[in-house]
Amino acid sequence: MKKTWWKEAVVYQVYWRSFYDSNGDGIGDLEGLLSKLHYIKDLGADVIWLNPMYQSPDKDNGYDISDYYGVMEKAGDMQTVERLITEVHNLGMKIIMDLVVNHTSDQHPWFLESRASEDNPKRDWYIWKDAKDGKEPNNWRSYFAPSPWTWEEKTGQYYFHSFAAEQPDLNWENPEVREEIYKIMRFWLDKGIDGFRMDVINLLAKQKGFRDAADPYDLSYLGNNPGIHEYLQEMNREVLKHYDIMTVGEIPFVTPEDGLLYVGEDRNELHTLFHFQVADDMPSWDMLRYKEIQKKWYEGLKGKGWNSQFLNNHDHTRQVTRYGNDGEYRAESAKLLGTLVHTMPGTPYIFQGEEIGMTGVCFEDISDYRDIAMKNKYNELVERGEDPVQVLKDLQPLSRDNSRTPVQWDDSENAGFTSGSPWIKVNPNYKEINVKRELETPDSVFCYYKKLISLRKENEVMVYGDYEDLSDGQEELYIYTRSLWEVTWLIVLNHSERTNEVKLPEIAHDGKELLLANYVEVPEEELAQKFILRPFEARIYKI
Ligand code: ISL
Ligand code: CA
């Protein structure tokens, strides 16, 4: 397994519209990010992943692009972007951007042409189908709207969209489309960005024939279709291989076996991937399932491909709420989950605010929510006659807005995020949970994350070490090793509100050195062969 910078990196995800507002319009922006780069540098992250800031009508918070060469004015302008790239590099960091090429905005000039007439040269840049028996061409559902088919009266056909109707899918079978996308990628890479996070990149190839699905609600028919690897190998030949960059594919529905086809070092496709066997398929914490997933991915990729580790992002509610304990043990469980993500094999991702233990949110009215996915779902269910109060209650825990509330900088109005009125409400707990307080508190979540990251810089075992779970079958304790040459680390976690006794494995009986703990007082138990872990206690030992 060759060593590279993107395997050793810690990535910090900036959802800029909720990061920091520099001009008081209530929306975060790139100028605001520039003014906070030192904060990210101080934390120790190496790479920034910037969510889409391209020109867009903003129906899906930038994931509906209308000009890949333009910058959304609420984010800033091209000069700001260029300054951001320069400043990030001056600080010794790197920046990767979001590549959203499975679909464009319905306001993109390409689509305006494509929908204009059946014989328009750009008609075949998107996916158009005749009605079948006067209805949609098949029984599929989309991510964000009941059907992925929207009728276009003017030309008497449906167009296909995996997400909202405002996000028509590009037709990747068309070489003109692929050529244009490669030009766009070179444009941004030549500006000096250090790679791409590739939005739902495994959806580019569509199922031949668009046949009805046995279960329309299982959207896996949207991904991993024949042709996808040919597209990615062409993208690699045409663009990726010519730059020293990092690529991470967002790949829903992928298992370790087919994940290797995307990131195998001999595949010449992508460098790393996000899978969703936790974030999409594990609604709440399930230790046995989590251990099983980690084991399968470790064995599936070991020595051949590289994984990512994350427990939340802008699409998934905040980890301390979903997978930890955001009440009595918020700080402890935030640190425990951070320990988990940073000591599992793969590149760790920190979603803005995670490093201070920010929590999910629970707004009392649907009008407080902004996410198109949630609003479309709410409307679909309420129009179907379901009780609006119950629908809201059911949708709140997994709403993507949970992780999109503004970063809480201090305890001043709007948590110091904006001097204007924020585009989305600030989480009311900002008075207790904010960066200012975290920086002033010696054993804060922030300080713990900083130590986790500096441990990675000093110890290759954390990056390249073999992984072995020594706690098979245990539902609350997670005891595992990372080992590289003569160095072995033992990580012990108690994912529970109860105390639990840890019986140390044989290898730890001749002494161990405590490297990091999420409780301030750790009784010295140099040669102890068992000890008690407190609620959500985490410890990293060198043995
Ligand atoms: O939110 C999800 C369901 O839990 C995710 O599966 C997500 O919708 C899916 O992985 C695609 O997400 C990406 O593409 C979307 C965009 O809305 C998301 O923000 C982006 O991360 C369409 O571009
Ligand atoms: Ca702003």
Side-chain angles (χ1 to χ4, degrees):
M1 203 68 172
K2 56 180 181 297
K3 296 184 176 174
T4 62
W5 60 268
W6 42 267
K7 290 178 183 171
E8 296 162 13
V10 172
V11 183
Y12 188 90
Q13 181 189 354
V14 174
Y15 197 69
W16 52 267
R17 67 185 65 226
S18 303
F19 191 64
Y20 182 66
D21 171 21
S22 71
N23 62 357
D25 65 357
I27 305 166
D29 46 56
L30 302 182
E31 203 61 57
L33 168 54
L34 267 158
S35 72
K36 296 287 184 183
L37 282 184
H38 59 86
Y39 167 74
I40 301 172
K41 177 70 182 173
D42 177 41
L43 176 63
D46 312 281
V47 178
I48 287 172
W49 157 25
L50 186 64
N51 285 99
M53 65 327 132
Y54 315 99
Q55 193 57 273
S56 161
D58 228 11
K59 297 280 189 235
D60 182 22
N61 289 7
Y63 282 93
D64 52 316
I65 296 168
S66 55
D67 177 5
Y68 288 93
Y69 296 99
V71 178
M72 208 190 298
E73 51 276 5
K74 62 180 77 166
D77 57 25
M78 190 56 87
Q79 287 63 41
T80 323
V81 174
E82 289 164 351
R83 223 157 27 86
L84 176 63
I85 296 169
T86 305
E87 277 310 299
V88 164
H89 290 159
N90 288 345
L91 286 168
M93 296 191 286
K94 292 178 183 279
I95 183 166
I96 66 173
M97 292 213 179
D98 225 308
L99 183 72
V100 187
V101 292
N102 172 67
H103 48 273
T104 70
S105 161
D106 63 346
Q107 301 306 308
H108 196 295
W110 301 341
F111 188 69
L112 299 181
E113 285 189 49
S114 180
R115 76 185 317 170
S117 64
E118 284 204 70
D119 55 2
N120 183 291
K122 286 229 174 9
R123 185 70 174 183
D124 189 37
W125 278 47
Y126 293 85
I127 298 164
W128 296 91
K129 292 258 178 269
D130 292 334
K132 192 172 93 180
D133 312 329
K135 296 199 295 96
E136 287 82 357
N138 66 18
N139 69 349
W140 293 3
R141 285 183 61 87
S142 87
Y143 268 101
F144 295 164
S147 165
W149 300 103
T150 293
W151 180 250
E152 170 64 49
E153 193 52 45
K154 194 164 177 224
T155 54
Q157 283 193 309
Y158 285 95
Y159 69 86
F160 181 75
H161 50 86
S162 304
F163 292 91
E166 296 89 344
Q167 296 170 288
D169 282 39
L170 283 166
N171 172 18
W172 269 74
E173 283 186 359
N174 186 330
E176 293 172 12
V177 169
R178 303 202 302 269
E179 278 316 310
E180 182 58 32
I181 297 300
Y182 301 153
K183 263 201 307 207
I184 291 164
M185 294 173 73
R186 290 186 203 102
F187 172 83
W188 286 104
L189 289 167
D190 292 341
K191 283 205 176 291
I193 68 170
D194 302 288
F196 292 108
R197 174 268 188 187
M198 299 188 176
D199 192 60
V200 286
I201 201 70
N202 61 318
L203 304 194
L204 302 184
K206 308 311 177 193
Q207 191 197 84
K208 295 280 173 291
F210 288 90
R211 294 178 308 283
D212 272 355
D215 171 9
Y217 285 80
D218 171 0
L219 297 182
S220 54
Y221 46 76
L222 293 175
N224 307 321
N225 290 303
I228 184 59
H229 295 295
E230 286 69 15
Y231 294 153
L232 293 178
Q233 284 161 16
E234 180 185 76
M235 182 188 282
N236 190 294
R237 279 195 310 278
E238 293 290 320
V239 185
L240 304 178
K241 67 185 258 194
H242 304 291
Y243 298 86
D244 173 20
I245 55 173
M246 138 182 213
T247 55
V248 51
E250 182 200 29
I251 307 190
F253 320 118
V254 78
T255 61
E257 295 66 38
D258 46 35
L260 197 53
L261 298 177
Y262 290 94
V263 299
E265 301 213 332
D266 60 348
R267 295 280 302 171
N268 302 314
E269 294 189 20
L270 305 179
H271 293 117
T272 70
L273 64 85
F274 295 135
H275 70 72
F276 287 84
Q277 293 196 324
V278 175
D280 267 351
D281 304 341
M282 199 170 92
S284 55
W285 188 254
D286 175 343
M287 177 68 94
L288 296 184
R289 184 163 176 185
Y290 185 81
K291 287 177 175 178
E292 183 56 31
I293 292 166
Q294 287 295 355
K295 185 163 182 259
K296 273 200 182 143
W297 277 93
Y298 175 68
E299 288 167 357
L301 297 186
K302 183 170 169 33
K304 297 174 275 188
W306 198 259
N307 202 357
S308 305
Q309 294 290 346
F310 71 99
L311 285 175
N312 57 189
N313 57 28
H314 65 291
D315 291 331
H316 297 91
T317 193
R318 287 191 172 275
Q319 60 195 43
V320 74
T321 296
R322 187 181 191 190
Y323 294 136
N325 169 307
D326 66 1
E328 184 181 357
Y329 297 105
R330 183 186 62 82
E332 291 81 358
S333 67
K335 295 173 187 175
L336 179 142
L337 294 173
T339 308
L340 197 51
V341 170
H342 286 251
T343 55
M344 280 286 139
T347 300
Y349 284 72
I350 300 171
F351 176 61
Q352 65 181 38
E354 170 192 331
E355 76 281 359
I356 64 167
M358 276 178 68
T359 68
V361 73
C362 204
F363 295 134
E364 70 270 7
D365 191 286
I366 186 67
S367 62
D368 291 326
Y369 286 88
R370 297 287 176 270
D371 174 16
I372 188 169
M374 178 180 185
K375 293 167 92 82
N376 283 9
K377 189 76 189 161
Y378 177 88
N379 294 335
E380 182 189 352
L381 297 176
V382 168
E383 274 151 30
R384 220 162 62 188
E386 294 198 23
D387 166 31
V389 173
Q390 192 51 48
V391 169
L392 178 63
K393 226 191 274 313
D394 295 342
L395 292 179
Q396 275 168 332
L398 293 185
S399 161
R400 302 191 299 173
D401 284 331
N402 278 292
S403 51
R404 299 179 177 186
T405 62
V407 169
Q408 294 157 200
W409 294 100
D410 57 42
D411 61 4
S412 71
E413 197 189 2
N414 293 317
F417 163 71
T418 178
S419 56
S421 65
W423 69 276
I424 186 170
K425 280 181 180 171
V426 175
N427 191 319
N429 62 21
Y430 73 91
K431 291 214 178 291
E432 297 76 44
I433 304 170
N434 60 69
V435 166
K436 183 168 175 291
R437 174 176 290 198
E438 286 287 302
L439 294 179
E440 290 163 356
T441 311
D443 61 345
S444 62
V445 179
F446 179 89
C447 296
Y448 189 86
Y449 263 73
K450 203 170 159 176
K451 286 178 192 161
L452 271 177
I453 296 169
S454 58
L455 271 180
R456 177 176 295 267
K457 303 276 161 269
E458 295 143 19
N459 299 277
E460 283 202 326
V461 62
M462 209 166 170
V463 180
Y464 298 108
D466 289 345
Y467 160 78
E468 188 185 359
D469 177 5
L470 306 177
S471 55
D472 261 346
Q474 299 200 46
E475 300 209 9
E476 298 190 332
L477 286 174
Y478 202 168
I479 302 165
Y480 54 95
T481 56
R482 299 293 307 274
S483 47
L484 186 67
W485 309 120
E486 76 296 340
V487 175
T488 297
W489 280 14
L490 176 71
I491 298 96
V492 293
L493 310 174
N494 175 30
H495 191 293
S496 165
E497 291 161 15
R498 288 175 291 281
T499 61
N500 268 307
E501 182 180 70
V502 172
K503 289 185 182 60
L504 287 182
E506 187 76 24
I507 48 168
H509 287 179
D510 325 353
K512 56 194 177 301
E513 176 198 345
L514 183 64
L515 296 178
L516 186 61
N518 71 341
Y519 272 69
V520 180
E521 297 302 317
V522 176
E524 260 323 296
E525 355 217 355
E526 180 59 20
L527 291 174
Q529 297 184 3
K530 59 184 179 183
F531 49 70
I532 299 292
L533 281 182
R534 292 158 284 190
F536 293 99
E537 183 163 9
R539 297 184 195 171
I540 302 178
Y541 287 106
K542 182 178 179 185
I543 53 180

